[in-house]
Amino acid sequence: MKFEHLIEINDPLNPLIDTITPAQLWRGLVLRAESPKLFVPHLDECSIDARDADGFTRRLRYGELVIEDRVLLAAPHQVRYEVAAQKDISASSLVMTIEAPTPERLWVRFQYDDGHDAATDSANAMYDDFRRSAYQESDIDTIRILRELAGQGRLDGMLN
């Protein structure tokens, strides 16, 4: 299943939405990668195992399930999560890209790829519809939490 969607961050025509700067948004997306428990309530534990110039590797524990992934940071516009195939989990990826079509507008593009071929996608169509909906709701929650953190000043002056 390949799935992508956009979430608008800044809309100059909507005065009810607080403006977030590109730097705040970047810091928030990195924070989501480094401290995912702030964003994923059912995550039991996250440890960062190794850092390098491109990003870091993590171990995420959900009860008995442990997932190892790699986070690649392309500052200041893209965070990429890569999960290698492990036990019952197939290789997959999530890419979050900050887009600024104009100086006043800001978006995040979320791109998911579960690594399955077309035949598998066809067999899993109903399940994939549910997953797309769940991913979109999770991403909306991520942006809601980032807005709250930005409003509290918690995304100001952190990392660059």
Side-chain angles (χ1 to χ4, degrees), residues 100-142:
T102 68
E104 303 84 28
R105 307 215 54 181
L106 200 56
W107 299 76
V108 176
R109 180 178 303 274
F110 295 85
Q111 297 170 289
Y112 293 86
D113 185 348
D114 68 4
H116 292 157
D117 59 23
T120 304
D121 284 347
S122 178
N124 292 332
M126 188 173 79
Y127 176 68
D128 286 346
D129 285 344
F130 172 77
R131 286 194 335 171
R132 280 189 281 276
S133 177
Y135 288 159
Q136 195 160 4
E137 288 303 314
S138 174
D139 297 339
I140 290 168
D141 282 345
T142 289

Side-chain angles (χ1 to χ4, degrees), residues 40-65:
V40 183
H42 53 278
L43 175 64
D44 295 316
E45 183 180 3
C46 173
S47 61
I48 296 177
D49 295 333
R51 289 185 185 268
D52 59 34
D54 298 325
F56 50 91
T57 57
R58 313 180 302 176
R59 294 173 61 85
L60 306 163
R61 187 175 61 77
Y62 302 85
E64 297 298 315
L65 175 66

Side-chain angles (χ1 to χ4, degrees), residues 1-5 69 79-85 89-96 109-118 120-121 124 127-128 131-132 135 139:
M1 175 189 78
K2 291 181 179 8
F3 168 65
E4 75 176 57
H5 68 101
D69 70 358
V79 177
R80 179 181 185 85
Y81 299 82
E82 294 180 348
V83 177
I89 300 170
S90 62
S92 61
S93 67
L94 164 60
V95 180
M96 298 177 185
R109 180 178 303 274
F110 295 85
Q111 297 170 289
Y112 293 86
D113 185 348
D114 68 4
H116 292 157
D117 59 23
T120 304
D121 284 347
N124 292 332
Y127 176 68
D128 286 346
R131 286 194 335 171
R132 280 189 281 276
Y135 288 159
D139 297 339

